[in-house]
Amino acid sequence: MNEMTKIETTLKDWETDQEVRWCPGCGDYAILKAVQRTLPQLGCDPSNTVFISGIGCSSRFPYYMETYGFHTIHGRAPALATGAKLANPDLDVWLVTGDGDGLSIGGNHMLHVLRRNVNMQIMLFNNEIYGLTKGQYSPTSREGTKSPSTPVGSVDRPANPASFALGAGARFVGRGFDVSKNLPDVLKAAHAHQGAAFIEIFQNCIVYNKDVFDDFAAPKGAGDRQLWLEHGKPMLFGDPKTGLDKGIALDRDGLALKVVDATEENWEEAGVLVHDATNRVIAHMLVEMPFGPFPMALGVLYDDPRPTFEASVAEERAKSTAGKTANLAKLLGTGQTWTVSGTAQDPV
């Protein structure tokens, strides 16, 4: 696989002439602009980029990107994206899905694209509801969610997309939310990762699940409710205007995480952890932190590359064909063969 040749583009080069049609106020608008602003900064080439989606509100994404695109069927985008990457490993593949498309009907396909480590960026828009089909509860809906399919409240325990990705063997797991100024940084880190990069993006559904993420995403007091992780930096959070005053430390007695009082001056004394994006165990603990007692862990939670699926397939092909000459006629005549004689008028 060749390294991407960087070119100069602007946001306008990534916009199509299609009318963007989501509900007014939908978080998808902010995600679309974040992607369109990020790709020029990465030096990406629209003619070498493809966006592949399944079914759902998020899956309209390919229509609005001036690239190649494929709007596939429900839950099967990972399979189509894998095929595209194997056919042309040099393509820059972005997979767009939602919590219903990617974790319900497409859950098994998502598992396999992650465990195989196919080199692509996977953006899962999580709004904790089925938006396109009019507000039914989804795999990520919280317990008690009232919807047309759960009129007295959901009794399901919700799936945790980031935890699912880690369990499936993903080598990159990131988190952001639609209107965050830090989302482009997560997208850039995912693009730099060689392998399946899974990004959970919390997305506000203005119609069926409005402001469900305000508990951590609302601007007022956000510093106390968001832990933005950066490799090699202490896990500190708090109001940036008054100074970071809390941190995440390891409770060595219970092998669990805990919140401690800490500042940028005394964080080492307080036992605050330094984020190591290659530490899979800590990544699991971060994505499972219960919100409320803990902040929401955001940014790059895990990043530890390994050889990609398509590179391994290409290597296997090269070894199996080394020193051999392709001969289709010989192949078709190998093994058990027979000759059919007679005419159509002959009795059976």
Side-chain angles (χ1 to χ4, degrees):
M1 275 64 73
N2 300 322
E3 287 193 17
M4 183 185 74
T5 301
K6 295 185 178 182
I7 68 169
E8 287 190 16
T9 60
T10 67
L11 182 149
K12 293 294 183 183
D13 294 314
W14 297 89
E15 294 178 331
T16 70
D17 59 359
Q18 300 297 299
E19 178 188 0
V20 182
R21 298 185 66 183
W22 285 306
C23 300
C26 175
D28 288 354
Y29 286 97
I31 301 171
L32 175 64
K33 283 302 175 187
V35 172
Q36 290 173 334
R37 290 191 178 102
T38 300
L39 293 177
Q41 296 173 28
L42 293 171
C44 296
D45 183 351
S47 67
N48 194 56
T49 304
V50 57
F51 280 80
I52 298 176
S53 64
I55 295 296
C57 297
S58 63
S59 295
R60 298 185 61 81
F61 214 88
Y63 296 104
Y64 309 136
M65 296 298 302
E66 191 58 52
T67 65
Y68 291 103
F70 201 162
H71 190 176
T72 73
I73 55 179
H74 210 180
R76 274 64 176 185
L80 274 291
T82 298
K85 195 67 180 177
L86 287 174
N88 186 352
D90 293 330
L91 279 177
D92 189 9
V93 176
W94 294 74
L95 192 155
V96 186
T97 185
D99 47 305
D101 180 65
L103 295 180
S104 185
I105 191 170
N108 65 322
H109 294 281
M110 183 65 70
L111 181 154
H112 296 307
V113 78
L114 292 173
R115 73 171 178 83
R116 285 174 172 148
N117 198 37
V118 187
N119 189 17
M120 66 180 73
Q121 296 73 239
I122 303 167
M123 297 189 296
L124 185 140
F125 297 8
N126 181 11
N127 55 22
E128 296 187 1
I129 206 77
Y130 276 105
L132 187 67
T133 49
K134 306 300 182 285
Q136 299 88 346
Y137 86 116
S138 82
T140 59
S141 295
R142 303 176 193 187
E143 291 180 74
T145 297
K146 292 185 178 181
S147 76
S149 52
T150 53
V152 295
S154 170
V155 297
D156 281 5
R157 289 191 63 191
N160 182 326
S163 183
F164 169 87
L166 285 168
R171 309 300 297 188
F172 179 103
V173 177
R175 264 186 184 160
F177 59 93
D178 45 17
V179 296
S180 169
K181 65 179 181 180
N182 296 325
L183 179 58
D185 293 331
V186 182
L187 297 175
K188 291 174 185 176
H191 191 266
H193 177 88
Q194 291 298 300
F198 181 89
I199 314 120
E200 178 186 10
I201 305 175
F202 297 106
Q203 176 257 320
N204 186 30
C205 177
I206 197 74
V207 176
Y208 298 111
N209 217 12
K210 184 180 179 183
D211 301 333
V212 70
F213 301 118
D214 268 7
D215 48 4
F216 69 86
K220 188 175 181 180
D224 289 322
R225 294 174 275 110
Q226 298 173 12
L227 171 65
W228 282 97
L229 297 159
E230 188 175 349
H231 181 69
K233 298 291 181 68
M235 298 183 190
L236 292 168
F237 63 101
D239 189 343
K241 294 181 180 178
T242 58
L244 306 180
D245 58 359
K246 300 181 187 69
I248 300 296
L250 192 62
D251 183 348
R252 300 185 186 280
D253 294 331
L255 291 178
L257 299 179
K258 62 181 180 180
V259 175
V260 296
D261 293 328
T263 67
E264 293 178 274
E265 288 74 35
N266 74 350
W267 63 267
E268 287 183 279
E269 298 173 34
V272 173
L273 291 171
V274 173
H275 183 45
D276 177 4
T278 67
N279 190 321
R280 192 177 191 84
V281 174
I282 295 296
H284 270 286
M285 297 171 78
L286 288 168
V287 301
E288 294 290 348
M289 288 193 308
F291 181 75
F294 291 90
M296 179 62 69
L298 300 163
V300 178
L301 290 83
Y302 182 63
D303 184 0
D304 189 17
R306 72 173 182 189
T308 65
F309 180 65
E310 67 275 14
S312 299
V313 170
E315 183 181 355
E316 182 183 62
R317 286 174 181 166
K319 287 181 179 179
S320 63
T321 58
K324 299 178 181 179
T325 303
N327 188 328
L328 182 59
K330 182 179 178 182
L331 176 65
L332 293 175
T334 300
Q336 186 178 23
T337 63
W338 61 93
T339 301
V340 178
S341 60
T343 67
Q345 285 74 35
D346 291 340
V348 177

